[in-house]
Amino acid sequence: MAVAILRQGDYLIASIRSDLTDGQLLALRDDLSERVGAQRIRGVIVDVRALDVIDSFMARSLSSIAQTARLRGAEMVIVGIQPDVAIAMVQFDLNLELLRATLDLDEALGLLDQLVTHG
């Protein structure tokens, strides 16, 4: 399984375990959007720690997931962007405005707690 999705309280944690095809990324977006509404999810964490590369399509897809989640009433945080990946994302001048990122799951949970409480 390329993505494991777990529920923790009002949050979903989607752990990407390997590179995803474009179709898998779109399916992930749709799945998370559906679950946010059906399960009354307040926050989504996407763990990308296993990825060595985040290309422009992946970055756009992550932004799309964040925007879709926000329109459905949830916030999204990305966890585990590797240093080389972060440098490449900045050098490729990708639009990252909608993306919130933290170093680890504990920080992501704390940030989501702040966002959904004070939103």
Side-chain angles (χ1 to χ4, degrees), residues 49 63 86 89 95 109-110:
R49 181 180 14 230
S63 291
M89 290 173 75
N95 183 357
L109 290 168

Side-chain angles (χ1 to χ4, degrees), residues 33 36 41 44 64-76:
S33 177
V36 164
I41 297 300
V44 176
S64 175
I65 292 169
Q67 188 171 21
T68 302
R70 191 165 294 143
L71 289 171
R72 303 274 295 163
E75 297 291 338
M76 187 184 99

Side-chain angles (χ1 to χ4, degrees), residues 91-102:
Q91 288 177 340
F92 289 133
D93 198 29
L94 300 175
N95 183 357
L96 309 171
E97 290 179 26
L98 291 177
L99 300 180
R100 292 184 175 101
T102 63

Side-chain angles (χ1 to χ4, degrees), residues 1-26:
M1 180 184 322
V3 180
I5 302 175
L6 305 170
R7 181 173 181 167
Q8 182 170 332
D10 290 338
Y11 303 148
L12 288 178
I13 302 170
S15 180
I16 299 174
R17 297 181 175 176
S18 63
D19 289 331
L20 301 178
T21 65
D22 294 353
Q24 288 173 315
L25 276 170
L26 296 175

Side-chain angles (χ1 to χ4, degrees), residues 12-119:
L12 288 178
I13 302 170
S15 180
I16 299 174
R17 297 181 175 176
S18 63
D19 289 331
L20 301 178
T21 65
D22 294 353
Q24 288 173 315
L25 276 170
L26 296 175
L28 176 62
R29 180 200 61 202
D30 296 345
D31 187 17
L32 290 173
S33 177
E34 178 65 31
R35 289 183 191 216
V36 164
Q39 300 175 16
R40 301 279 191 211
I41 297 300
R42 306 279 317 267
V44 176
I45 297 170
V46 178
D47 184 350
V48 298
R49 181 180 14 230
L51 300 179
D52 293 328
V53 173
I54 295 180
D55 62 13
S56 61
F57 184 78
M58 170 70 97
R60 283 193 312 274
S61 296
L62 290 171
S63 291
S64 175
I65 292 169
Q67 188 171 21
T68 302
R70 191 165 294 143
L71 289 171
R72 303 274 295 163
E75 297 291 338
M76 187 184 99
V77 178
I78 297 173
V79 171
I81 296 176
Q82 300 298 327
D84 292 343
V85 173
I87 291 168
M89 290 173 75
V90 170
Q91 288 177 340
F92 289 133
D93 198 29
L94 300 175
N95 183 357
L96 309 171
E97 290 179 26
L98 291 177
L99 300 180
R100 292 184 175 101
T102 63
L103 292 175
D104 60 36
L105 185 58
D106 289 334
E107 284 185 24
L109 290 168
L111 178 57
L112 282 178
D113 287 343
Q114 290 177 348
L115 291 170
V116 301
T117 302
H118 300 99

